[in-house]
Amino acid sequence: MQVPATFAYERADSVPHAIALLERYGPDARIVAGGHSLIPMMKLRLAQPEALIDINGLGGELGGVAVEGHELAIGALVRHAELLDNTAATDLFPIFRDAERVIADPIVRNRGTVGGSLCQGDPSEDLAAVFAALRATAVIQGPGGVRAVPVREFHRGPYETAVEPNELLIQLRVPIAARTGSAYEKVERRVGDWPVAAAGAVLTVEDGVIVRAGIGLTAVGAEGFHAPEAEELLMGRPPGAEAFAAAGRVAAEHCEPHADQRGPADYKRHLAAELTRRALTTAAGRI
């Protein structure tokens, strides 16, 4: 039987209360919301937090999806299913619909949270690539106040993020621009599995040329879950098959995939190129 080690349990009644509890218990405390990543790790004793701080009652502070000025604001406690069903978000950014449909299964999507997925810091996380492609900003709150971190600087390594032990991710903010299309492409061994490789793309086109490009990659060892060299290649070029294929090749050249049970490194590098090309093509067709 898989049984977690002993831990304390606290239920936060506000964001400041959650931060105070994090300070009280120290770096061995963990936040729990959906728990679909953390609890299995605890059962296997891969994670042994001293305390779990439950934030499920903070939907009023950490929930909600709304357009605020020129940004889409997504609360960290928003469930995957909520984001998938939110037409304001998916109409602006179809990449959310593409990605959320292939994350795990309905049970996980009904409970798992957007913020929890990012804070888990898994190298194969779908939403890490999505928000990197979107050039989103993570809003983090701690004892010293609120600070903003670009999502491309949010992940510092496997299972390590910019959120300090006494801080809480509270929101993601995504810039909105006209004439923009987005898409996400994923290859998985079976439905709902972690990706063998996946790519997200966001394109803004003005006067027939690309003025902004975002490419997110996951499960292929791309630093910061994005492909800046491929993005730079696209700038100022008209969208089209030749440019997208070239960007895919450059993205693949600059990632560092590792062989594992999901496939050899060469196969993953091939997927990085092909899925980038496909995502760019679909994104351009949605502008």
Side-chain angles (χ1 to χ4, degrees), residues 155-179:
H155 294 95
R156 295 177 174 173
Y159 306 101
E160 182 182 3
T161 73
V163 181
E164 299 295 337
N166 61 352
E167 292 183 321
L168 191 65
L169 175 66
I170 61 173
Q171 192 181 69
L172 285 308
R173 302 189 71 87
V174 182
I176 299 170
R179 299 287 301 162

Side-chain angles (χ1 to χ4, degrees), residues 99 102-104 126 184-188 192-199 275:
V102 294
I103 291 177
D126 290 282
Y184 188 71
E185 295 282 347
K186 174 178 176 177
V187 167
E188 54 201 338
D193 194 7
W194 293 104
V196 178
L275 296 179

